């Protein structure tokens, strides 16, 4: 299993990038957002990956953030959502926007993606509503977690440890309430882990 790639961006296409890792070029499927985030050809990049294995192929999907990869996994867990559809959704919506749409049961927002009809959008919203948590419409702290904040990084850390989005965000919201606005990432993660374990 390949979890991530560190290397130079060798090439990009409409829906993929080639990452050169010590002379080996890894072709990874990617959303438009990830491709935009990678930067210029020749730059050093880190790509979080998901390996898709089927009877006739092994493919790598690449993501600019672990959060985007986590949502890709959740989306492809919904019946009728393949890698192409999941990438289409993540191309037009950031992970936070996907979470907001699902938490608000806003199927129309999800249906804006290429290849996603109203029925499929509704199924995505219905099946993932328990996993989206209430972050966007008020989880434990009653407020959204701002992107790029220590709290957002703490949620990401908990997701990487295997917590569900709802569990991670509720635990971090509770920790944020207790520690106050100036809390460090380290303090938030430690307290959130204690709260999640209860």
């Amino acid at each position: 299993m390949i979890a991530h790639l560190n290397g130079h961006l060798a090439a990009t296409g409409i829906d993929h990038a080639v990452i050169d890792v010590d002379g080996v070029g890894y072709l990874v499927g990617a959303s438009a957002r990830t491709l935009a985030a990678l930067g210029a050809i020749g730059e050093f990049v880190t790509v979080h990956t998901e390996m898709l294995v089927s009877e006739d192929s092994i493919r790598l999907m690449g993501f600019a953030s672990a959060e985007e990869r986590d949502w890709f996994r959740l989306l492809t867990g919904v019946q009728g959502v393949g890698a192409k559809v999941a990438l289409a959704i993540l191309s037009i919506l950031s992970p936070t926007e996907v979470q907001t749409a699902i938490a608000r049961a806003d199927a129309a927002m999800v249906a804006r993606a290429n290849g996603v009809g109203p029925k499929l959008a509704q199924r995505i919203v219905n099946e993932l509503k328990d996993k989206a948590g209430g972050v966007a419409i008020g989880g434990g702290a009653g407020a959204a977690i701002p992107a790029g904040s220590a709290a957002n990084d703490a949620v990401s850390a908990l997701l990487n440890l295997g917590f569900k989005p709802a569990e991670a965000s509720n635990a971090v919201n509770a920790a944020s309430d207790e520690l106050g606005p100036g809390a460090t990432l380290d303090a938030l993660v430690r307290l959130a882990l204690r709260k999640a374990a209860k």
Side-chain angles (χ1 to χ4, degrees):
M1 191 68 162
I2 299 171
H4 69 264
L5 298 172
N6 290 324
H8 292 90
L9 183 61
T12 57
I14 295 171
D15 60 357
H16 68 273
V18 177
I19 313 298
D20 186 320
V21 182
D22 295 330
V24 178
Y26 290 88
L27 187 134
V28 295
S31 70
R33 279 180 183 274
T34 286
L35 291 170
L38 289 179
I41 302 294
E43 283 188 16
F44 189 83
V45 295
T46 295
V47 179
H48 301 271
T49 57
E50 178 75 357
M51 188 181 284
L52 304 180
V53 181
S54 63
E55 282 182 25
D56 55 355
S57 72
I58 296 175
R59 292 180 297 157
L60 268 183
M61 298 291 134
F63 307 94
S65 68
E67 196 181 6
E68 187 184 10
R69 181 196 57 204
D70 294 339
W71 274 106
F72 176 83
R73 287 175 180 163
L74 287 171
L75 288 166
T76 53
V78 176
Q79 185 189 351
V81 179
K84 191 174 178 183
V85 169
L87 287 180
I89 293 169
L90 292 167
S91 287
I92 63 150
L93 300 174
S94 70
T96 307
E97 287 168 336
V98 175
Q99 189 164 12
T100 302
I102 290 169
R104 290 182 178 158
D106 187 350
M109 196 166 168
V110 179
R112 287 170 36 209
N114 230 353
V116 181
K119 282 186 179 174
L120 183 56
Q122 194 60 56
R123 186 186 307 146
I124 290 167
V125 166
N126 291 345
E127 287 193 25
L128 296 182
K129 66 176 181 282
D130 295 337
K131 294 174 181 167
V135 180
I137 52 169
I145 294 176
S149 65
N152 191 57
D153 291 342
V155 170
S156 235
L158 264 63
L159 289 174
N160 288 335
L161 290 171
F163 287 90
K164 289 183 176 146
E167 294 169 336
S169 53
N170 287 338
V172 170
N173 273 327
S176 293
D177 275 355
E178 199 169 306
L179 295 170
T184 64
L185 173 60
D186 188 49
L188 277 171
V189 171
R190 282 170 195 268
L191 186 55
L193 282 171
R194 284 208 298 275
K195 293 199 173 289
K198 284 180 182 175

